[in-house]
Amino acid sequence: MSSKRLYLVVTVAILGYLIAWYISDSFDSEKVRGERVLICGASTGIGEGLAYQYARFGAKLVLVSRRKEALEKVAARCRELGAQQADYIIADLSTLDAAQAMVKVCQNWFLGQKSIKQTGKGLDGIYIAAKL
């Protein structure tokens, strides 16, 4: 591993720890129960981990990824972990048509909701935040 890459990995790890430490005192998992959460890149990596964590909190999930088989397994595991709902959308969000179709589906699904809970950019996907 190059020293530049090692520096980046260590920096991201420290930043992640500091963020987790900062929000740990104020985070209430009960506020997530029953809320609708959209997670893109949910079949592997960070997105998969987020899906499992939100499932443990009892959220209603929409999981998005390109790989159907992997998404089906993640959705099933989320239901086992306590997600009130775990649906999925097969989409390659690198194409505009797929992204627009996903937005239309989610607009209907999130209708009446103030916001989507997860936000930020991750290594395996883009976690979308929007006021609808």
Side-chain angles (χ1 to χ4, degrees), residues 66 91-96 98-99:
R66 296 174 298 191
D92 180 355
L93 297 181
S94 67
T95 67
L96 182 59

Side-chain angles (χ1 to χ4, degrees), residues 19-38:
I19 291 170
W21 173 76
Y22 178 76
I23 66 172
S24 65
D25 289 338
S26 62
F27 181 75
D28 180 7
S29 63
E30 283 302 312
K31 289 183 179 178
V32 177
R33 184 168 308 285
E35 292 293 325
R36 294 175 173 131
V37 179
L38 169 69

Side-chain angles (χ1 to χ4, degrees), residues 4-119:
K4 201 177 218 183
R5 184 176 170 111
L6 179 61
Y7 175 77
L8 179 64
V9 168
V10 170
T11 302
V12 169
I14 291 170
L15 183 60
Y17 174 78
L18 290 173
I19 291 170
W21 173 76
Y22 178 76
I23 66 172
S24 65
D25 289 338
S26 62
F27 181 75
D28 180 7
S29 63
E30 283 302 312
K31 289 183 179 178
V32 177
R33 184 168 308 285
E35 292 293 325
R36 294 175 173 131
V37 179
L38 169 69
I39 302 174
C40 300
S43 64
T44 60
I46 295 169
E48 180 181 11
L50 283 169
Y52 295 151
Q53 193 61 38
Y54 277 106
R56 287 183 188 99
F57 296 152
K60 297 176 182 177
L61 305 173
V62 171
L63 311 173
V64 182
S65 185
R66 296 174 298 191
R67 299 178 2 195
K68 181 179 181 180
E69 297 80 21
L71 262 184
E72 288 174 339
K73 289 178 184 177
V74 172
R77 180 70 178 134
C78 286
R79 288 183 205 103
E80 291 172 7
L81 291 171
Q84 290 185 15
Q85 187 175 346
D87 296 326
Y88 59 88
I89 300 170
I90 308 302
D92 180 355
L93 297 181
S94 67
T95 67
L96 182 59
D97 290 341
Q100 288 174 334
M102 184 201 67
V103 167
K104 286 181 183 178
V105 168
C106 289
Q107 281 177 333
N108 292 330
W109 196 70
F110 285 98
L111 192 62
Q113 294 296 309
K114 292 182 181 176
S115 65
I116 297 171
K117 292 295 181 187
Q118 186 58 42
T119 152

